Coordinates of all heavy atoms in Angstrom, one line a residue:
A32 N -6.4 -31.1 18.3 CA -5.1 -31.3 18.8 C -5.1 -31.0 20.3 O -4.5 -31.8 21.1 CB -4.1 -30.3 18.2
V76 N 17.2 -33.5 20.1 CA 18.1 -34.2 19.2 C 19.4 -33.4 19.2 O 19.5 -32.3 18.7 CB 17.7 -34.4 17.8 CG1 18.6 -35.2 17.0 CG2 16.3 -35.2 17.8
P86 N 29.9 -26.2 12.3 CA 29.2 -25.1 11.6 C 27.6 -25.3 11.8 O 27.1 -26.3 12.0 CB 29.6 -25.3 10.2 CG 29.8 -26.8 10.0 CD 30.3 -27.2 11.3
L104 N 14.2 -41.8 19.8 CA 13.0 -42.3 20.5 C 13.4 -43.4 21.4 O 12.8 -43.6 22.5 CB 12.0 -42.7 19.4 CG 11.2 -41.5 18.8 CD1 10.4 -42.0 17.6 CD2 10.2 -40.9 19.9
T110 N 6.8 -43.4 25.6 CA 6.2 -44.8 25.4 C 4.8 -44.7 25.0 O 4.2 -43.7 24.9 CB 6.4 -45.5 26.8 OG1 6.1 -46.9 26.6 CG2 5.5 -44.9 27.9
I118 N 7.3 -30.5 15.1 CA 7.2 -29.2 14.4 C 8.3 -29.2 13.3 O 9.5 -29.4 13.6 CB 7.4 -28.1 15.3 CG1 6.4 -28.1 16.5 CG2 7.2 -26.7 14.5 CD1 6.7 -27.1 17.6
L147 N 1.5 -27.1 4.9 CA 1.0 -28.0 3.8 C 1.4 -27.5 2.4 O 1.4 -28.3 1.5 CB -0.5 -28.1 3.9 CG -1.0 -28.8 5.2 CD1 -2.5 -29.0 5.1 CD2 -0.3 -30.1 5.4
A150 N 4.0 -29.7 0.9 CA 3.6 -31.1 0.5 C 2.6 -31.1 -0.6 O 2.6 -32.0 -1.4 CB 3.1 -31.8 1.7
V180 N 6.2 -21.7 0.6 CA 7.5 -22.3 0.4 C 8.6 -21.3 0.3 O 8.4 -20.2 -0.4 CB 7.6 -23.2 -1.0 CG1 9.0 -23.6 -1.3 CG2 6.6 -24.3 -0.8
F194 N 12.7 -11.9 1.8 CA 13.1 -11.8 3.2 C 11.9 -11.7 4.2 O 10.8 -11.5 3.7 CB 14.1 -10.6 3.4 CG 13.5 -9.3 2.9 CD1 13.0 -8.5 3.8 CD2 13.7 -9.0 1.6 CE1 12.5 -7.2 3.4 CE2 13.1 -7.7 1.2 CZ 12.6 -6.9 2.1
A197 N 8.1 -15.7 8.7 CA 6.9 -15.6 9.7 C 6.6 -16.9 10.2 O 5.6 -17.0 11.0 CB 5.7 -15.0 9.0
V216 N -10.2 -27.7 28.1 CA -10.8 -29.0 28.0 C -10.6 -29.8 29.3 O -11.6 -30.4 29.8 CB -10.3 -29.9 26.8 CG1 -10.7 -31.3 26.9 CG2 -10.7 -29.3 25.5
A218 N -10.1 -28.4 32.3 CA -11.0 -27.8 33.3 C -12.4 -28.1 33.1 O -13.1 -28.3 34.1 CB -10.8 -26.3 33.2
R220 N -13.6 -30.8 32.2 CA -13.8 -32.1 32.7 C -13.6 -32.2 34.2 O -13.6 -33.4 34.8 CB -12.8 -33.1 32.0 CG -13.1 -33.2 30.5 CD -12.1 -34.2 29.8 NE -12.3 -34.3 28.4 CZ -11.5 -35.0 27.5 NH1 -10.5 -35.7 28.1 NH2 -11.7 -35.0 26.3
L227 N 2.2 -23.9 34.7 CA 3.2 -23.3 35.4 C 2.9 -21.8 35.6 O 2.3 -21.2 34.6 CB 4.5 -23.5 34.7 CG 5.0 -24.9 34.7 CD1 6.3 -25.0 33.8 CD2 5.3 -25.5 36.1
F243 N 5.4 -29.6 40.2 CA 6.5 -30.5 39.9 C 6.4 -31.8 40.8 O 6.6 -32.9 40.4 CB 7.9 -29.9 40.1 CG 8.2 -28.8 39.1 CD1 8.9 -27.7 39.4 CD2 7.8 -28.9 37.8 CE1 9.3 -26.7 38.5 CE2 8.1 -27.9 36.8 CZ 8.9 -26.9 37.2
R247 N 5.8 -35.4 39.1 CA 7.2 -35.6 39.0 C 7.5 -36.9 38.1 O 8.5 -36.9 37.4 CB 7.9 -35.9 40.3 CG 7.4 -37.0 41.2 CD 8.0 -37.0 42.5 NE 7.5 -38.0 43.4 CZ 6.4 -37.9 44.2 NH1 5.7 -36.7 44.1 NH2 6.0 -38.8 44.9

Side-chain angles (χ1 to χ4, degrees):
V76 178
L104 280 168
T110 188
I118 305 168
L147 294 184
V180 174
F194 54 97
V216 169
R220 296 179 183 178
L227 295 176
F243 291 148
R247 59 185 176 275

